[in-house]
Amino acid sequence: MTAITVNPVLRVAPAAPAEAAAHFRAGLAFHTDVSDVAAALAAGGDPGFVVVDSRSTEAWDQGHIPGAVHLPTALVREQAAHLLDRSVPVVTYCWGPGCNGAARAALALAELGYPVKEMLGGFEYWVREGLEFKTWQGRERRAPDPLTAPADAGDCGC
């Protein structure tokens, strides 16, 4: 009798296609990414959402997305009604993939009745993709990191 070896990827079988579609559709309802936010903002006019930086004042001063609203996670419940319109979707971000501040801010906003998505990658990937950011000294842009953004194309083709 020959033993069948199953590799770690297939040790748990993939979900049925319909279940996988439902899972990924749901994920896209909760998340967006840096590239999509940047494209929507660059298109001009009203993008149909507001971007919220949920980091501290010190982090905001170090750099933030131009046009973002500064609303630290700890102040969401107290200040959201003064800064945001409940009828306009909110996109939250924090430092990057190693930080869950944007998720905590998104949770607080959702509990207050705001439609919300979290921007995957956060400020780290905004900068790494070579997008313009603002500091207390003015606007800056760094060269795109070829591991996160295409070096010779306008977008990644995703």
Side-chain angles (χ1 to χ4, degrees):
M1 181 173 228
T2 305
I4 298 174
T5 304
V6 177
N7 67 51
V9 172
L10 299 175
R11 190 171 295 138
V12 173
E19 289 177 274
H23 169 81
F24 293 116
R25 185 175 298 107
L28 292 170
F30 300 114
H31 299 107
T32 187
D33 65 22
V34 166
S35 181
D36 288 346
V37 171
L41 294 176
D46 181 2
F49 60 88
V50 62
V51 178
V52 168
D53 185 316
S54 64
R55 301 170 304 145
S56 68
T57 298
E58 294 80 11
W60 169 266
D61 289 345
Q62 192 172 325
H64 57 273
I65 295 173
V69 172
H70 184 221
L71 180 56
T73 301
L75 301 176
V76 167
R77 294 189 190 287
E78 165 186 331
Q79 295 183 1
H82 303 292
L83 298 171
L84 304 171
D85 179 342
R86 273 194 177 80
S87 68
V88 177
V90 177
V91 173
T92 62
Y93 75 91
C94 60
W95 275 112
C99 175
N100 66 3
R104 288 194 308 271
L107 171 60
L109 287 163
E111 289 175 344
L112 291 171
Y114 292 87
V116 63
K117 288 188 174 197
E118 176 186 8
M119 184 179 79
L120 299 176
F123 185 68
E124 175 188 351
Y125 276 72
W126 186 271
V127 174
R128 289 181 73 185
E129 289 192 16
L131 299 166
E132 185 178 76
F133 60 97
K134 191 173 178 182
T135 71
W136 63 273
Q137 296 174 315
R139 293 180 180 254
E140 295 183 34
R141 182 185 298 260
R142 296 186 183 162
D145 179 340
L147 295 176
T148 66
D152 298 322
D155 65 38
C156 65
C158 295

